[in-house]
Amino acid sequence: MASFDIVSKVDPQTLDNAVNTVKKEILGRYDFKDSHVSIELNKKDFLVNLEAESDMKITQIIDVLLSRSIKQGLEASIYDISKQPYQSGKVVKQEVPVRNGLKQEDAKKIVKLIKDAGLKVQAAIMDDIIRVTGKKIDDLQEVIALCRTAKLEIPLQYVNMKS
């Protein structure tokens, strides 16, 4: 039986490199000269804390964060930028959570997608991993193609392929 795992993991070192690159670029930009800017990564909680003088500058920082992350090999969908920036004294703050690991409802959605496709594979949820097994590797590759084309808005990796 051939199998592989579907995971949603973010490499902490790559994330740290992306955030440090953003810090360097923002602090070197002329439009941010002599202005209060803080970009901090909480590695334990997978949270990026942003601080700037205005909403516009927060938006610019997020744009740079997304582009630098993509250049580092991270998907833009790892960042949950749905929370709005909020005023805190003279500065504007925003917390950007980083999606790491599959949540239970996302895993159920992926398993349902695989089962509804009618492929000859079995999908099982194991904590924050989905194990997909089948007789043929071609069936497993169809599952990978199916997950890539579906609009899941979750960064997925396909690891541990065994035949």
Side-chain angles (χ1 to χ4, degrees):
M1 293 286 275
S3 69
F4 74 95
D5 297 336
I6 300 175
V7 297
S8 179
K9 297 237 185 264
V10 176
D11 180 33
Q13 187 60 49
T14 308
L15 181 63
D16 190 37
N17 291 344
V19 170
N20 287 333
T21 306
V22 170
K23 275 187 204 176
K24 237 183 249 180
E25 182 174 330
I26 291 293
L27 295 176
R29 280 177 48 169
Y30 185 76
D31 55 340
F32 281 89
K33 192 174 185 178
D34 298 330
S35 66
H36 173 75
V37 174
S38 172
I39 304 167
E40 299 298 324
L41 172 64
N42 184 340
K43 292 180 186 177
K44 191 179 108 190
D45 297 333
F46 280 93
L47 191 69
V48 180
N49 293 312
L50 307 174
E51 238 178 73
E53 292 177 344
S54 67
D55 282 347
M56 184 182 76
K57 288 189 177 182
I58 290 279
T59 306
Q60 289 175 341
I61 293 171
I62 288 174
D63 288 344
V64 173
L65 179 66
L66 293 176
S67 68
R68 293 298 165 250
S69 296
I70 290 170
K71 284 187 178 177
Q72 294 277 342
L74 298 171
E75 292 185 42
S77 59
I78 65 168
Y79 300 108
D80 182 12
I81 49 178
S82 60
K83 288 186 178 178
Q84 295 298 317
Y86 59 92
Q87 192 76 29
S88 176
K90 292 183 178 180
V91 295
V92 177
K93 295 182 177 183
Q94 183 170 3
E95 292 180 343
V96 181
V98 179
R99 295 181 180 120
N100 189 30
L102 276 174
K103 293 182 182 150
Q104 199 68 28
E105 59 267 10
D106 292 335
K108 287 179 181 176
K109 194 186 313 180
I110 293 169
V111 169
K112 184 178 182 333
L113 176 76
I114 293 169
K115 288 189 177 182
D116 289 349
L119 300 170
K120 295 180 181 178
V121 295
Q122 291 81 38
I125 300 172
M126 302 172 161
D127 291 333
D128 62 345
I129 295 173
I130 300 173
R131 169 91 23 103
V132 181
T133 56
K135 289 183 180 177
K136 298 179 187 171
I137 288 188
D138 292 344
D139 294 336
L140 300 180
Q141 289 173 339
E142 285 183 45
V143 171
I144 293 173
L146 176 72
C147 290
R148 284 192 176 145
T149 57
K151 301 284 186 239
L152 296 171
E153 297 181 16
I154 310 164
L156 297 175
Q157 292 87 34
Y158 311 97
V159 296
N160 211 10
M161 178 75 93
K162 295 178 183 171
S163 57

